[in-house]
């Protein structure tokens, strides 16, 4: 009986070791095998319940596919000896001017430049200075009489509009006119703002 019990224990240990080895191999295969390969169509398969299967993700994938460059057209490796010979026989002759020399003849203009028909800018107007300052205004006073005193001094009677002034020599009338000299037939008055003296005749009423 003791021998039979020992044989059963060895079988159980062997089965457990086999199961453990299988589990270890499966875990190693799952860890190092990497993600599953995409399908042959080139588009990732949307996974249900994830963001990859949403409409926004589908639109983004379509945009990326539209922006992807098309397959490059294969180049033609065939040689064309005729075109190669024409390119090798081409000689650049230029226009006869050496651009690296300052003594080279200038290039001839292909189009004649039209000459201007008139002055580019109008001539400035000639400034003519005025002949002189304007003449001073006429003194707006009327001398219509005078009064003589026993000492020989006189006082003139002046009319400015509707105002009547009686002034002796040296007096200022209407805050502007100064009486300079009073004579029997005329009077000399100075316009103070213009420094102008005028002789006013005696006016008979």
């Amino acid at each position: 009986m003791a021998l039979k019990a020992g044989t059963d224990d060895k079988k159980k240990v062997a089965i457990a070791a086999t199961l453990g080895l299988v589990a270890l191999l499966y875990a190693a295969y799952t860890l190092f095998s990497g993600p599953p390969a995409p399908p042959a169509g080139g588009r990732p398969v949307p996974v249900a319940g994830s963001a990859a299967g949403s409409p926004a993700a589908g639109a983004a994938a379509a945009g990326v596919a539209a922006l992807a460059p098309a397959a490059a057209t294969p180049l033609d490796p065939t040689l064309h000896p005729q075109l190669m010979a024409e390119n090798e026989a081409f000689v650049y002759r230029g226009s006869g001017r050496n651009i690296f020399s300052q003594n080279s003849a200038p290039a001839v203009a292909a189009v004649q430049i039209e000459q201007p028909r008139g002055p580019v800018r109008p001539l400035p107007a000639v400034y003519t200075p005025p002949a002189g300052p304007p003449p001073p205004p006429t003194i707006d006073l009327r001398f219509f009489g005078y009064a003589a005193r026993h000492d020989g001094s006189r006082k003139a009677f002046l009319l400015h509009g509707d105002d009547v002034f009686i002034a002796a020599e040296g007096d200022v009338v209407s805050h502007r006119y100064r009486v300079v000299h009073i004579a029997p037939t005329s009077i000399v008055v100075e316009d103070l703002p213009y420094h102008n003296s005028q002789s006013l005749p005696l006016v008979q009423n």
Side-chain angles (χ1 to χ4, degrees):
M1 294 297 294
L3 180 60
K4 185 177 180 179
T7 304
D8 293 338
D9 292 337
K10 291 180 179 180
K11 289 181 179 180
K12 292 179 180 180
V13 171
I15 293 172
T18 303
L19 294 176
L21 179 60
V22 171
L24 182 61
L25 292 175
Y26 179 76
Y29 174 78
T30 305
L31 180 64
F32 294 102
S33 62
R43 293 187 178 180
V45 179
V47 181
S50 63
S54 62
V64 172
L67 294 177
T73 304
L75 299 178
D76 184 11
T78 306
L79 299 178
H80 301 278
Q82 181 179 358
L83 297 179
M84 296 173 60
E86 292 179 359
N87 292 334
E88 292 178 357
F90 177 77
V91 178
Y92 176 75
R93 302 186 183 278
S95 60
R97 182 185 181 192
N98 185 6
I99 61 175
F100 300 101
S101 175
Q102 62 179 357
N103 299 324
S104 178
V108 179
V111 181
Q112 184 67 25
I113 300 176
E114 183 180 358
Q115 298 297 327
R117 301 180 180 179
V120 179
R121 295 182 179 179
L123 297 178
V126 180
Y127 173 73
T128 303
T138 304
I139 296 178
D140 190 14
L141 290 177
R142 295 180 63 188
F143 175 48
F144 63 91
Y146 70 95
R149 303 180 63 181
H150 63 279
D151 57 355
S153 60
R154 297 185 179 91
K155 287 191 174 182
F157 298 95
L158 303 173
L159 183 65
H160 184 257
D162 295 335
D163 299 329
V164 177
F165 298 94
I166 301 175
E169 294 181 355
D171 293 344
V172 177
V173 177
S174 188
H175 306 286
R176 176 173 178 175
Y177 306 109
R178 185 170 65 87
V179 178
V180 179
H181 178 68
I182 301 174
T185 57
S186 64
I187 183 175
V188 178
V189 180
E190 179 185 5
D191 190 351
L192 297 178
Y194 290 91
H195 303 284
N196 173 48
S197 298
Q198 297 181 16
S199 178
L200 304 179
L202 178 64
V203 179
Q204 299 294 333
N205 291 336

